[in-house]
Structure formats: structure tokens, C-alpha cells
Amino acid sequence: MAEPLRDRARRATGWRLRMNGDRPHYVVCGSDPLAYWVVKALLLATESPADRVRVTLVVPERRRSEGPDGRDIDGIQVIRADRLDEATFRRAGLAGADGLALLRQDDVGNMHAALCAQEVEPRLRLVVRMFNTSLANGVRQLFPDSAVLSDASMAAPAFVAAALGELAPTHFRHAGRTLYMARRVDVRPDDVVCGLAVTTDPDLIRVLPADEPAADVVLAEAAGQPVGTELAARRLVRARRRRQPVAVLVRAIRSFATRKIGIAVLLLLAVIALLGWLNARAAHVDWSDALYLTLVTTLSGQDPDLTKPAAAQVMQVVLNLAGLALIPLITAVVVDGIVNARLALHAGRIQPDRSGHVVVVGLGNIGTRVMAQLHDFGVEVVAIDKDPDARGAALAHRLGVPLIVGDAGLEETLRAASVDTCQALVVVSTDDGTNLRAALNARALDADLRVVLRLFDGDFAERVQKAFGIGISRSVSYLAAPAFAAALLDRAVIATIPIDRHALLVTEVPVAAGSPLDGRPLAAVARPGEVRLLAHTRAGAQRTDWSADPRLVIHAGDRLTVVARRAGLSALLRETTPAPPPAHAGAPFPRQPEE
């Protein structure tokens, strides 16, 4: 067990022992906000210009969206290529590179690119973005030294928890303990491992505060009690709405035929009723006999009588003509009604009124995960997507989740999903404009509605949250990027904990001989607001101490389990690895040519 850990530590920190002219090199392939945030995280990993990593970003020739995709970041090399093949990888300098991240939203394309990259550099650290689990397992078998991650899987729990008004159901197992994030009031004091954040003021979220007892969000050890999200889900199940068959029937009748055919039928029936009433007066019969004569004359056209008055004969002929027009109209109504009913059912327009459910807009990667997890929790879900063949449409039909096909930015589409009486609206389509319009229109229907809004641009998400009062706006890429960057740097990230718009990393960091922390007490590890020590493992020992004495001296080979922000983790890594040896005056290091 110890030997693989030493190998990992040597691979993870060995680049700091290199010369300035041989900086570690990473190639990132992608053209969306995830690529942007991964590149930013890589550059943030080393703040000193002397040991900053080299990053080459491979993007398509043309921008595919207005959002950030990384090509405008200073200090990186950008290669433009529409195809990820051997020639492109050689242009990007993949031969001899330390790692490759394939972040395009194309599972098959990423697998093909991984095979091409292996031909250029067989010994390569590979990080692949995958949605399909079967393909992900195949990539892991083909490339043992690879990390296959899904940004949708990482971010979906945060959206689900936000929709239910609870904390994200983040849980992980480390050193024989199962830990999860919870509110302090929901756990026993003995189960609290450390404080994570103070969230009492929504406008000022403080993570890893210096006053740890003041943190209302904590990291706790699982003690067999259900987490807050499951409790909220159970409450929603008990409060599920009752079906309203009468409302469904009325809505179905209203959508049975088109308006023009309905008007024509009503006018023709009015003419028949008027002529039947006049005919009954002319024949001096009661209303039941008049109804019988009118129906028989209209539908069969029989009973000619030459002795009738001229007015009665004229009305009889008109009724026969009306009957000839009524039969095709009835046929048209039936055919049109069947077609409209099938289309309405397929598009989800015939829906009962609901309350207490969750509406999910957009059945792409993240929307499909959110819908599935809510369904697993027993929460009633209604889905909206403008594409009837969206990625998650088949799963929605299989789970029995109603799917409304239409533009979520339109008020009538939101009303069809009963947004005005729903528990929460989760807007996770790939169009920021549609997402924002859907959120604002939903708030117009219900000012107190909980809206969970996905926006690709993290800065835009924060500004929307403040400007429009939308309580929760999240960027999937911002939440998932730290884990992708850590995997590319071959750092053992145990878990990623999302808190509001912050992402905390739980990781185990080895202490190298000669590093600044070698020989210092454990109290030197903690940095309020940046890093908090969770556990300490002695070199060569299997037992992890979760309540180590802060005065204990750190020795080379020790392993520190910490929860930290990205900047704090970068600073800790610099303190746990030795500084590069100084250059001799007579033999300066060669300068690397500028890119």
C-alpha cells in the first residue's frame, strides 16, 4: 500500500524539481466553459511564473458559442483544429507532454481522440469527459492510467439539493469513515468532523471560517440517519397532488378539434336546430316528435310528401342539404380530434393540474441526471424540452415522467407544466437566453418560486443572482472544473463539495522531504478561509488520526487529508514539496523560447 502512494506522490510533485526550461506541459481539448475553467484551474495551481505549467488549448477554428472557451486566456498556447487526430496532437506538442484532457461533448469523438493520442505519446496521463457509462468503462480498460469523469454526474446532486431546498447530498468514504455534508442542527455534535461554511447571510457566504463553531454547514460522519435531501423528498412524496380527472377531460375536449372545424360544426347545428323548430311549428307537433322528425330528415333524407305546404317542403330540402354537410363535418371532427389528441399527448399539452412537483427544463446531460435523481428520491417530476428526441426523452418515457415539448421561455409552456404550483423550477438547458427567460417568466407566475438556474458563464450567473433576486444560479463547468484539473495534475481528489458558488476539494497531500512543512507542527497546515486539516497519517502507517494534536510535528512521508479551496490547495502543495535547486552563477539555466 505504501509503495503506490510513494509513486503517486513522486509523480504528483516531481515536476517541481524540474528546471525552468522544462516546465510541465498539459494539453486541453475543448471549446466550452468547462475547458475555460479547467485551464484557469491549471494556471492557478502554480502562481509563481517560474514554475507555472505550460498549457496548450486545442479549439475548433470558429467559436461555437458566445460564452468563454479559453482561447482568450493569457499565457497559454492556442491551436485551432476541427479534428483531433495525430497531426493535431503533434502540432500541440503532445509528444513528451505530462497530460491530456479531452473535454469535448462527444463521447465517441473523445474515445477516438484518446486512441490517436496514444499513438503520439503512449505514456500519457489522460483525463476524458464522458457521459455514457458503458463507453467510460471501455476507456478505463483501454487506458489504465486515465481518469474518466462526468461533469453532469458531479454537478447534478447540487442541482437536486437546491431544488429540494437542502444541502447537496455530498458523501464520500475515506480511511474507514463515511463523511457527508449537513447542517449542524441536523447532526449530533459528536458526529461533526469540522465546520465548512457560514451561510446565515445569503449575500456573504464564508467558507472554512476561522471561527469554526460558528459554521452552520459542517462535515459530519454518517451515523445511520438519512440526510436532509432524503427527508425533504419523503415530505414531498407524502404531499403529492391528487389527480383531477374532470380537469383532464375538459382540457382534452378543448384540444380535440381545431377552432375552424368546431365553429363550422356549431353553425351547422344551429341552422339544423332553427329549421327543426320552424318545421315543428308548421307541422303542429310537440318537441319530442319535432326532434325525431328533424333527426330523421337530416340524417336520412326520407319521407317525401307532396301534400305538405311549400314552406315545409323548403325546410325539408334545406334540412336534407344540411345533413349532407353534417356527415363530412362529423368525419373531419373525428379524424382531426384523433390526430390532435395524439399530438397533444406526445407533446405533453394534455396534463393534469399538479402541485408540489419539480419542473426540469432541458433534458441534456445535466437535466437527464437531475430528472433521474429526483425520480429516485420519489419526487414527482415534469420535464420540458423543445426537442422531442432530446438525450433524456427516452429515459423520461421509461420512468413515466411527463415530457412537454415546447419553448420553456414561453408562458403557455410553463403553465402547461403547472409551474405556478410547483415546488421548484430547475432550468438546465444549454441556452443561457432560454434559461433566463424561463426563470423570469416563472417568477412572474409565482414570485416566491424557488428557481435553480444553470448559466454557463460563472460571472454572469453571480450577477444574475444579485440583479434579479434568483436565489440559486449555478455553473456546471465551474463546479466540475476543479476535479478535472486535479485529475490532470494526478492529484488524489477524494471529493468535491459544492457550497453556494464555492467548490471545496477534499484531498490527501503527501509531505516531501525538504519541503517547507517538513519539521513544522500540524497547526501550520490550517489557513482560515483557505485550508482546513481533517486527518493526519504517519509515514508508513495504515491508521489515520482524525483528531491529531495540532502541536504534533510533521515528518517527510506523512499524509495530510485536507478540505481546501483551489487557491488554498495550490499554496499547500507548494509547502509540501521541496523548492527547485538554485541555479549556479556560472551555469545559468537555458531560457525557454517564448510561445
Side-chain angles (χ1 to χ4, degrees):
M1 182 72 180
E3 183 62 31
L5 288 172
R6 284 199 295 270
D7 291 343
R8 177 178 287 275
R10 191 159 44 245
R11 284 192 300 168
T13 62
W15 60 269
R16 291 193 173 275
L17 302 178
R18 301 180 182 187
M19 304 301 184
N20 185 34
D22 190 21
R23 294 179 294 160
H25 181 209
Y26 296 98
V27 179
V28 178
C29 301
S31 58
D32 61 4
L34 178 61
Y36 172 85
W37 287 113
V38 168
V39 172
K40 295 284 283 187
L42 288 174
L43 297 179
L44 185 62
T46 50
E47 298 177 353
S48 173
D51 56 1
R52 174 168 289 187
V53 299
R54 293 170 53 218
V55 178
T56 299
L57 179 65
V58 181
V59 297
E61 290 286 349
R62 296 182 179 178
R63 266 188 203 270
R64 297 181 178 178
S65 67
E66 295 299 327
D69 63 358
R71 70 180 70 200
D72 298 327
I73 297 178
D74 295 332
I76 67 171
Q77 181 184 12
V78 177
I79 301 294
R80 291 175 172 80
D82 291 326
R83 182 177 175 83
L84 297 179
D85 51 17
E86 294 183 34
T88 300
F89 287 136
R90 294 188 189 280
R91 285 174 52 204
L94 186 63
D98 294 77
L100 169 67
L102 300 172
L103 306 180
R104 293 189 174 183
Q105 298 188 42
D106 181 2
D107 289 356
V108 177
N110 285 342
M111 177 175 279
H112 178 261
L115 294 172
C116 294
Q118 192 180 37
E119 297 294 328
V120 178
E121 179 54 65
R123 301 177 61 183
L124 183 69
R125 176 65 179 168
L126 188 63
V127 177
V128 186
R129 177 190 200 177
M130 282 278 174
F131 177 82
N132 187 285
T133 55
S134 299
L135 288 177
N137 293 331
V139 171
R140 291 189 184 98
Q141 294 176 2
L142 287 174
F143 309 99
D145 189 23
S146 65
V148 184
L149 307 175
S150 170
D151 55 332
S153 297
M154 293 176 185
F159 283 89
V160 171
L164 299 180
E166 298 291 338
L167 295 174
T170 301
H171 60 87
F172 59 93
R173 186 166 180 81
H174 178 64
R177 286 189 171 189
T178 299
L179 307 178
Y180 69 99
M181 182 174 62
R183 297 198 181 275
R184 188 182 290 271
V185 296
D186 295 333
V187 298
R188 299 181 305 174
D190 294 340
D191 295 332
V192 175
V193 177
C194 75
L196 293 178
V198 178
T199 62
T200 52
D201 184 1
D203 297 329
L204 182 61
I205 305 296
R206 295 187 293 121
V207 297
L208 304 178
D211 185 13
E212 187 174 344
D216 59 319
V217 177
V218 300
L219 189 66
E221 182 178 5
Q225 299 295 326
V227 297
T229 301
E230 295 179 2
L231 293 175
R234 292 176 187 176
R235 289 197 296 267
L236 286 177
V237 170
R238 289 196 296 267
R240 294 180 74 173
R241 50 88 186 157
R242 297 180 178 179
R243 302 279 180 179
Q244 298 181 2
V246 176
V248 177
L249 179 61
V250 171
R251 191 175 298 180
I253 292 175
R254 289 177 59 186
S255 62
F256 189 70
T258 61
R259 185 176 181 179
K260 291 182 178 179
I261 293 180
I263 292 175
V265 172
L266 291 177
L267 289 176
L268 185 59
L269 291 177
V271 171
I272 292 174
L274 177 62
L275 293 175
W277 177 72
L278 294 175
N279 194 21
R281 286 178 60 89
H284 303 288
V285 295
D286 58 12
W287 68 269
S288 59
D289 293 335
L291 177 63
Y292 169 74
L293 291 175
T294 301
L295 291 177
V296 170
T297 302
T298 302
L299 299 178
S300 65
Q302 301 296 322
D303 193 26
D305 188 356
L306 299 177
T307 62
K308 286 183 177 182
Q313 290 180 354
V314 171
M315 286 186 289
Q316 185 177 17
V317 171
V318 175
L319 282 174
N320 289 336
L321 293 175
L324 293 176
L326 182 62
I327 299 301
L329 275 177
I330 292 176
T331 304
V333 167
V334 172
V335 174
D336 189 60
I338 293 174
V339 172
N340 285 342
R342 291 179 64 89
L343 291 175
L345 288 172
H346 181 70
R349 292 194 300 269
I350 301 179
Q351 294 291 332
D353 292 332
R354 292 177 165 84
S355 63
H357 58 293
V358 176
V359 178
V360 178
V361 176
L363 290 184
N365 291 350
I366 184 68
T368 302
R369 301 280 189 185
V370 171
M371 176 189 67
Q373 290 188 19
L374 286 170
H375 182 271
D376 290 343
F377 284 149
V379 181
E380 186 178 13
V381 184
V382 176
I384 300 177
D385 199 292
K386 61 183 179 181
D387 183 5
D389 299 320
R391 181 187 288 270
L395 179 61
H397 295 315
R398 188 162 62 249
L399 297 178
V401 173
L403 173 59
I404 298 176
V405 179
D407 184 359
L410 301 178
E411 183 177 332
E412 54 266 29
T413 305
L414 298 176
R415 288 189 180 276
S418 300
V419 167
D420 52 336
T421 57
C422 71
Q423 170 77 12
L425 173 67
V426 183
V427 191
V428 288
S429 78
T430 56
D431 185 347
D432 278 2
T434 299
N435 290 352
L436 187 55
R437 284 190 292 112
L440 296 179
N441 286 336
R443 275 295 178 85
L445 297 176
D446 182 4
D448 298 326
L449 178 64
R450 180 186 298 118
V451 178
V452 184
L453 178 61
R454 172 195 187 180
L455 294 174
F456 281 86
D457 190 336
D459 179 69
F460 183 44
E462 187 172 355
R463 295 179 185 276
V464 166
Q465 181 170 333
K466 294 179 180 179
F468 295 100
I470 296 176
I472 305 166
S473 57
R474 298 180 180 273
S475 167
V476 175
S477 306
Y478 184 81
L479 293 174
F484 279 85
L488 192 60
L489 294 169
D490 201 11
R491 295 175 183 168
V493 174
I494 301 170
T496 302
I497 302 177
I499 299 179
D500 193 60
R501 293 200 47 76
H502 304 280
L504 301 180
L505 302 176
V506 180
T507 183
E508 188 178 62
V509 180
V511 180
S515 62
L517 278 181
D518 186 7
R520 297 188 65 189
L522 285 175
V525 176
R527 291 186 177 186
E530 297 293 338
V531 179
R532 176 153 292 153
L533 180 67
L534 296 179
H536 172 247
T537 306
R538 280 294 189 188
Q542 298 297 325
R543 180 179 174 275
T544 298
D545 189 356
W546 291 87
S547 55
D549 188 341
R551 297 171 296 180
L552 193 66
V553 176
I554 303 172
H555 298 289
D558 289 359
R559 302 193 302 277
L560 308 174
T561 303
V562 299
V563 55
R565 304 178 69 175
R566 289 181 295 178
L569 180 59
S570 300
L572 179 63
L573 289 171
R574 288 193 296 272
E575 294 183 352
T576 54
T577 55
H584 296 289
F589 293 135
R591 282 185 60 85
Q592 185 78 0
E594 295 293 335
E595 297 175 353

